[in-house]
Amino acid sequence: MKEFPANILRGFILFLSWTLFRPKVYYKDKSIQKNKITQPILMVCNHTCHMDGPVIGSIFWKDKIHYLAAKDRFESKPLAWLMRQCRCIPIDRRDLDTSWIHGACNLLSTVKEPLCIFPEGRHGKNGEILPFHSGVTMLAFIARVPVLLVYIHHSYGFLFGKRAKVMVDIPRQITISPEGLSSDFVDHQTKELRNQMLELQQEFYRQTKIQS
Amino acid sequence: METNEILDKLKEILKVVKPQVDATNVTVDTSLSKDLGIDSLSMMLLALAIEDKFNFRFDTVKPFTTIGEVSDYIKAKVNK
């Protein structure tokens, strides 16, 4: 009962996002289209604008998605409150902070709810997919959960603008290193994950016949 | 726990996190970035490995510059 007002607020935001951006979703494997996400999963999205989070939420509205967001966004009290209601977890990118990794791992392995991350950390210009930060790989390794890549096409606008177009990959398991978590290995896996996102982008262009 | 003991365990961790670095010559004065090439990614991995090995959690802190600072931090946490 305590969560009730937050649920209403989240529902309203997601409904508003769905109405404004009218997301159209393409699936690499159409069999996952109608299924609710039943396993804890790390959803990895490219970042095109501030509205990406609500767009993703409106697509996967049946799933209790949590988001990782930069701690800077929590500096304003009203925004911080709103973001917490929308299940956002702050990441401190400046100082040495491991609490977000533990919090996120607990969410994935104990609470077993999906988590969404934008590993570029900021928006790329004109759909460019920027290098990924390695936190995403560390998280996937430590929580031992599959990764679901979601490509968001960059050109979408409010209400009468273009519809948001999104392509959903199939869940992938990240390779575990037998020697432990070395920086080179994490770095390599992070680059590999970005390459898979670039492949998904190409798949999106093939399916939609949109010119890149 | 004494500094030498902490240093030995840190060397073991370094062998995993940064296998290309020769950890045998690491002292309290060794610089993390200049001597060991530790960047923010390696520092995060190092912190996670330290937490596992010494069984405590890092509070949010400014990044360390030398191995001595890391070992002092661990000492303070472990001997609390």
Side-chain angles (χ1 to χ4, degrees):
Chain A
M1 197 67 191
K2 201 179 170 186
E3 270 229 19
F4 190 56
N7 284 343
I8 290 182
L9 179 70
R10 271 196 299 272
F12 174 71
I13 291 172
L14 297 184
F15 176 73
L16 194 67
S17 311
W18 187 79
T19 313
L20 290 176
F21 304 113
R22 296 149 291 132
K24 184 166 171 56
V25 190
Y26 301 85
Y27 291 87
K28 200 166 176 184
D29 176 5
K30 290 198 169 80
S31 66
I32 62 166
Q33 186 168 349
K34 286 176 186 167
N35 295 341
K36 187 177 186 288
I37 298 172
T38 49
Q39 56 178 338
I41 206 161
L42 186 59
M43 203 176 275
V44 178
C45 310
N46 62 316
H47 210 358
T48 65
C49 80
H50 291 299
M51 299 315 292
D52 289 343
V55 167
I56 291 296
S58 68
I59 293 166
F60 298 96
W61 61 273
K62 284 185 276 184
D63 309 295
K64 287 183 176 177
I65 298 178
H66 299 255
Y67 303 86
L68 286 172
K71 200 176 180 181
D72 328 10
R73 305 263 176 264
F74 290 75
E75 278 167 7
S76 137
K77 271 190 177 175
L79 190 59
W81 176 83
L82 184 67
M83 291 186 75
R84 286 190 199 282
Q85 298 306 307
C86 294
R87 299 199 186 99
C88 294
I89 301 167
I91 304 180
D92 191 339
R93 297 186 294 190
R94 291 189 200 125
D95 297 332
L96 181 60
D97 177 23
T98 56
S99 62
W100 69 268
I101 289 203
H102 297 301
C105 281
N106 177 51
L107 201 69
L108 289 162
S109 3
T110 315
V111 187
K112 296 191 183 300
E113 288 181 344
L115 180 69
C116 178
I117 186 168
F118 298 93
E120 292 163 273
R122 60 193 173 94
H123 318 147
K125 282 182 184 166
N126 301 321
E128 182 196 2
I129 298 175
L130 301 172
F132 285 4
H133 289 283
S134 45
V136 61
T137 319
M138 270 190 262
L139 197 54
F141 272 120
I142 297 167
R144 303 273 169 107
V145 290
V147 165
L148 180 68
L149 292 172
V150 179
Y151 170 72
I152 306 169
H153 189 52
H154 61 97
S155 62
Y156 66 91
F158 284 96
L159 206 53
F160 302 111
K162 285 181 185 172
R163 292 177 72 175
K165 291 189 176 75
V166 167
M167 177 132 204
V168 181
D169 198 7
I170 45 173
R172 297 160 187 265
Q173 203 74 46
I174 280 196
T175 323
I176 306 290
S177 158
E179 288 90 25
L181 220 50
S182 78
S183 58
D184 284 352
F185 187 74
V186 172
D187 199 33
H188 172 77
Q189 287 294 323
T190 308
K191 284 177 182 152
E192 191 57 40
L193 203 59
R194 181 177 175 267
N195 288 340
Q196 289 167 357
M197 180 64 90
L198 291 171
E199 282 171 21
L200 189 65
Q201 183 186 39
Q202 291 311 313
E203 177 66 26
F204 169 84
Y205 287 134
R206 265 194 298 276
Q207 280 201 24
T208 57
K209 298 188 173 61
I210 291 174
Q211 298 290 319
S212 55
Chain B
M1 194 179 275
E2 292 305 311
T3 307
N4 282 345
E5 200 182 336
I6 294 173
L7 212 55
D8 288 342
K9 287 188 176 179
L10 277 178
K11 286 176 186 175
E12 283 172 30
I13 294 171
L14 276 170
K15 280 179 194 164
V16 176
V17 174
K18 275 269 178 193
Q20 66 274 42
V21 163
D22 180 16
T24 47
N25 299 324
V26 166
T27 65
V28 285
D29 297 321
T30 305
S31 160
L32 291 167
S33 58
K34 283 182 194 162
D35 302 328
L36 302 175
I38 301 268
D39 54 8
S40 56
L41 161 63
S42 318
M43 194 60 227
M44 185 61 100
L45 291 171
L46 196 64
L48 290 167
I50 288 170
E51 285 182 338
D52 265 0
K53 196 102 177 167
F54 294 93
N55 203 21
F56 71 86
R57 289 281 162 90
F58 273 85
D59 304 320
T60 305
V61 286
K62 296 278 171 215
F64 302 101
T65 51
T66 63
I67 284 286
E69 285 177 22
V70 181
S71 119
D72 288 346
Y73 184 84
I74 296 170
K75 202 172 174 180
K77 279 279 186 185
V78 172
N79 295 337
K80 214 187 232 179

PDB file of all heavy atoms in Angstrom, chain B residues 5-20:
ATOM      1  N   GLU B   5      51.389  -7.109   5.817  1.00  0.00           N
ATOM      2  CA  GLU B   5      50.408  -8.141   5.512  1.00  0.00           C
ATOM      3  C   GLU B   5      49.398  -7.613   4.475  1.00  0.00           C
ATOM      4  O   GLU B   5      49.042  -8.310   3.515  1.00  0.00           O
ATOM      5  CB  GLU B   5      49.687  -8.520   6.809  1.00  0.00           C
ATOM      6  CG  GLU B   5      48.999  -9.861   6.780  1.00  0.00           C
ATOM      7  CD  GLU B   5      48.273 -10.151   8.093  1.00  0.00           C
ATOM      8  OE1 GLU B   5      48.671  -9.570   9.149  1.00  0.00           O
ATOM      9  OE2 GLU B   5      47.307 -10.923   8.049  1.00  0.00           O
ATOM     10  N   ILE B   6      48.975  -6.380   4.690  1.00  0.00           N
ATOM     11  CA  ILE B   6      48.022  -5.750   3.755  1.00  0.00           C
ATOM     12  C   ILE B   6      48.673  -5.615   2.376  1.00  0.00           C
ATOM     13  O   ILE B   6      48.069  -5.907   1.343  1.00  0.00           O
ATOM     14  CB  ILE B   6      47.572  -4.359   4.287  1.00  0.00           C
ATOM     15  CG1 ILE B   6      46.768  -4.533   5.574  1.00  0.00           C
ATOM     16  CG2 ILE B   6      46.762  -3.603   3.239  1.00  0.00           C
ATOM     17  CD1 ILE B   6      46.411  -3.246   6.286  1.00  0.00           C
ATOM     18  N   LEU B   7      49.955  -5.200   2.387  1.00  0.00           N
ATOM     19  CA  LEU B   7      50.689  -5.011   1.136  1.00  0.00           C
ATOM     20  C   LEU B   7      50.786  -6.320   0.339  1.00  0.00           C
ATOM     21  O   LEU B   7      50.610  -6.329  -0.886  1.00  0.00           O
ATOM     22  CB  LEU B   7      52.089  -4.489   1.472  1.00  0.00           C
ATOM     23  CG  LEU B   7      52.734  -3.542   0.460  1.00  0.00           C
ATOM     24  CD1 LEU B   7      51.856  -2.353   0.173  1.00  0.00           C
ATOM     25  CD2 LEU B   7      54.090  -3.079   0.962  1.00  0.00           C
ATOM     26  N   ASP B   8      51.046  -7.420   1.042  1.00  0.00           N
ATOM     27  CA  ASP B   8      51.137  -8.729   0.373  1.00  0.00           C
ATOM     28  C   ASP B   8      49.811  -9.101  -0.285  1.00  0.00           C
ATOM     29  O   ASP B   8      49.777  -9.596  -1.414  1.00  0.00           O
ATOM     30  CB  ASP B   8      51.534  -9.825   1.378  1.00  0.00           C
ATOM     31  CG  ASP B   8      52.987  -9.706   1.799  1.00  0.00           C
ATOM     32  OD1 ASP B   8      53.736  -9.023   1.076  1.00  0.00           O
ATOM     33  OD2 ASP B   8      53.360 -10.260   2.862  1.00  0.00           O
ATOM     34  N   LYS B   9      48.731  -8.836   0.440  1.00  0.00           N
ATOM     35  CA  LYS B   9      47.411  -9.156  -0.122  1.00  0.00           C
ATOM     36  C   LYS B   9      47.090  -8.238  -1.302  1.00  0.00           C
ATOM     37  O   LYS B   9      46.478  -8.666  -2.282  1.00  0.00           O
ATOM     38  CB  LYS B   9      46.336  -9.041   0.967  1.00  0.00           C
ATOM     39  CG  LYS B   9      46.397 -10.177   1.969  1.00  0.00           C
ATOM     40  CD  LYS B   9      45.226 -10.153   2.914  1.00  0.00           C
ATOM     41  CE  LYS B   9      45.285 -11.377   3.831  1.00  0.00           C
ATOM     42  NZ  LYS B   9      44.215 -11.430   4.791  1.00  0.00           N
ATOM     43  N   LEU B  10      47.527  -6.991  -1.192  1.00  0.00           N
ATOM     44  CA  LEU B  10      47.304  -6.052  -2.310  1.00  0.00           C
ATOM     45  C   LEU B  10      48.055  -6.509  -3.560  1.00  0.00           C
ATOM     46  O   LEU B  10      47.557  -6.380  -4.682  1.00  0.00           O
ATOM     47  CB  LEU B  10      47.764  -4.634  -1.922  1.00  0.00           C
ATOM     48  CG  LEU B  10      46.770  -3.793  -1.115  1.00  0.00           C
ATOM     49  CD1 LEU B  10      47.381  -2.439  -0.763  1.00  0.00           C
ATOM     50  CD2 LEU B  10      45.480  -3.562  -1.887  1.00  0.00           C
ATOM     51  N   LYS B  11      49.256  -7.041  -3.365  1.00  0.00           N
ATOM     52  CA  LYS B  11      50.046  -7.550  -4.495  1.00  0.00           C
ATOM     53  C   LYS B  11      49.318  -8.700  -5.181  1.00  0.00           C
ATOM     54  O   LYS B  11      49.292  -8.793  -6.414  1.00  0.00           O
ATOM     55  CB  LYS B  11      51.440  -8.004  -4.021  1.00  0.00           C
ATOM     56  CG  LYS B  11      52.372  -6.853  -3.692  1.00  0.00           C
ATOM     57  CD  LYS B  11      53.693  -7.378  -3.130  1.00  0.00           C
ATOM     58  CE  LYS B  11      54.581  -6.255  -2.649  1.00  0.00           C
ATOM     59  NZ  LYS B  11      55.798  -6.732  -1.997  1.00  0.00           N
ATOM     60  N   GLU B  12      48.730  -9.572  -4.364  1.00  0.00           N
ATOM     61  CA  GLU B  12      47.955 -10.704  -4.932  1.00  0.00           C
ATOM     62  C   GLU B  12      46.791 -10.184  -5.769  1.00  0.00           C
ATOM     63  O   GLU B  12      46.515 -10.685  -6.857  1.00  0.00           O
ATOM     64  CB  GLU B  12      47.393 -11.576  -3.798  1.00  0.00           C
ATOM     65  CG  GLU B  12      48.399 -12.486  -3.157  1.00  0.00           C
ATOM     66  CD  GLU B  12      47.812 -13.182  -1.920  1.00  0.00           C
ATOM     67  OE1 GLU B  12      46.590 -13.413  -1.885  1.00  0.00           O
ATOM     68  OE2 GLU B  12      48.586 -13.459  -0.994  1.00  0.00           O
ATOM     69  N   ILE B  13      46.122  -9.161  -5.250  1.00  0.00           N
ATOM     70  CA  ILE B  13      44.977  -8.588  -5.971  1.00  0.00           C
ATOM     71  C   ILE B  13      45.451  -7.944  -7.278  1.00  0.00           C
ATOM     72  O   ILE B  13      44.830  -8.110  -8.326  1.00  0.00           O
ATOM     73  CB  ILE B  13      44.238  -7.549  -5.084  1.00  0.00           C
ATOM     74  CG1 ILE B  13      43.590  -8.253  -3.890  1.00  0.00           C
ATOM     75  CG2 ILE B  13      43.195  -6.773  -5.872  1.00  0.00           C
ATOM     76  CD1 ILE B  13      43.023  -7.322  -2.835  1.00  0.00           C
ATOM     77  N   LEU B  14      46.587  -7.225  -7.185  1.00  0.00           N
ATOM     78  CA  LEU B  14      47.123  -6.548  -8.379  1.00  0.00           C
ATOM     79  C   LEU B  14      47.449  -7.538  -9.494  1.00  0.00           C
ATOM     80  O   LEU B  14      47.300  -7.239 -10.674  1.00  0.00           O
ATOM     81  CB  LEU B  14      48.371  -5.742  -8.018  1.00  0.00           C
ATOM     82  CG  LEU B  14      48.124  -4.336  -7.460  1.00  0.00           C
ATOM     83  CD1 LEU B  14      49.409  -3.750  -6.916  1.00  0.00           C
ATOM     84  CD2 LEU B  14      47.539  -3.416  -8.518  1.00  0.00           C
ATOM     85  N   LYS B  15      47.911  -8.728  -9.107  1.00  0.00           N
ATOM     86  CA  LYS B  15      48.257  -9.759 -10.107  1.00  0.00           C
ATOM     87  C   LYS B  15      47.038 -10.156 -10.933  1.00  0.00           C
ATOM     88  O   LYS B  15      47.157 -10.542 -12.095  1.00  0.00           O
ATOM     89  CB  LYS B  15      48.847 -10.997  -9.417  1.00  0.00           C
ATOM     90  CG  LYS B  15      50.305 -10.819  -9.058  1.00  0.00           C
ATOM     91  CD  LYS B  15      50.824 -12.064  -8.371  1.00  0.00           C
ATOM     92  CE  LYS B  15      52.157 -11.791  -7.704  1.00  0.00           C
ATOM     93  NZ  LYS B  15      52.521 -12.823  -6.742  1.00  0.00           N
ATOM     94  N   VAL B  16      45.852 -10.071 -10.308  1.00  0.00           N
ATOM     95  CA  VAL B  16      44.618 -10.427 -11.027  1.00  0.00           C
ATOM     96  C   VAL B  16      44.093  -9.226 -11.829  1.00  0.00           C
ATOM     97  O   VAL B  16      43.793  -9.342 -13.012  1.00  0.00           O
ATOM     98  CB  VAL B  16      43.523 -10.917 -10.037  1.00  0.00           C
ATOM     99  CG1 VAL B  16      42.227 -11.195 -10.767  1.00  0.00           C
ATOM    100  CG2 VAL B  16      44.000 -12.139  -9.281  1.00  0.00           C
ATOM    101  N   VAL B  17      44.020  -8.087 -11.157  1.00  0.00           N
ATOM    102  CA  VAL B  17      43.431  -6.897 -11.794  1.00  0.00           C
ATOM    103  C   VAL B  17      44.319  -6.354 -12.908  1.00  0.00           C
ATOM    104  O   VAL B  17      43.837  -5.961 -13.974  1.00  0.00           O
ATOM    105  CB  VAL B  17      43.147  -5.801 -10.719  1.00  0.00           C
ATOM    106  CG1 VAL B  17      42.677  -4.510 -11.370  1.00  0.00           C
ATOM    107  CG2 VAL B  17      42.110  -6.293  -9.732  1.00  0.00           C
ATOM    108  N   LYS B  18      45.625  -6.295 -12.643  1.00  0.00           N
ATOM    109  CA  LYS B  18      46.594  -5.778 -13.628  1.00  0.00           C
ATOM    110  C   LYS B  18      47.699  -6.812 -13.823  1.00  0.00           C
ATOM    111  O   LYS B  18      48.824  -6.637 -13.340  1.00  0.00           O
ATOM    112  CB  LYS B  18      47.195  -4.459 -13.110  1.00  0.00           C
ATOM    113  CG  LYS B  18      46.360  -3.230 -13.423  1.00  0.00           C
ATOM    114  CD  LYS B  18      46.806  -2.647 -14.731  1.00  0.00           C
ATOM    115  CE  LYS B  18      45.981  -1.458 -15.133  1.00  0.00           C
ATOM    116  NZ  LYS B  18      46.226  -1.092 -16.527  1.00  0.00           N
ATOM    117  N   PRO B  19      47.421  -7.908 -14.533  1.00  0.00           N
ATOM    118  CA  PRO B  19      48.431  -8.975 -14.646  1.00  0.00           C
ATOM    119  C   PRO B  19      49.714  -8.537 -15.357  1.00  0.00           C
ATOM    120  O   PRO B  19      50.770  -9.132 -15.157  1.00  0.00           O
ATOM    121  CB  PRO B  19      47.715 -10.074 -15.434  1.00  0.00           C
ATOM    122  CG  PRO B  19      46.465  -9.495 -15.947  1.00  0.00           C
ATOM    123  CD  PRO B  19      46.186  -8.222 -15.232  1.00  0.00           C
ATOM    124  N   GLN B  20      49.630  -7.501 -16.164  1.00  0.00           N
ATOM    125  CA  GLN B  20      50.821  -7.047 -16.908  1.00  0.00           C
ATOM    126  C   GLN B  20      51.799  -6.259 -16.043  1.00  0.00           C
ATOM    127  O   GLN B  20      52.924  -5.982 -16.452  1.00  0.00           O
ATOM    128  CB  GLN B  20      50.412  -6.234 -18.150  1.00  0.00           C
ATOM    129  CG  GLN B  20      49.721  -4.918 -17.907  1.00  0.00           C
ATOM    130  CD  GLN B  20      48.215  -5.048 -17.735  1.00  0.00           C
ATOM    131  OE1 GLN B  20      47.733  -5.957 -17.074  1.00  0.00           O
ATOM    132  NE2 GLN B  20      47.472  -4.132 -18.305  1.00  0.00           N
TER     133      GLN B  20
END
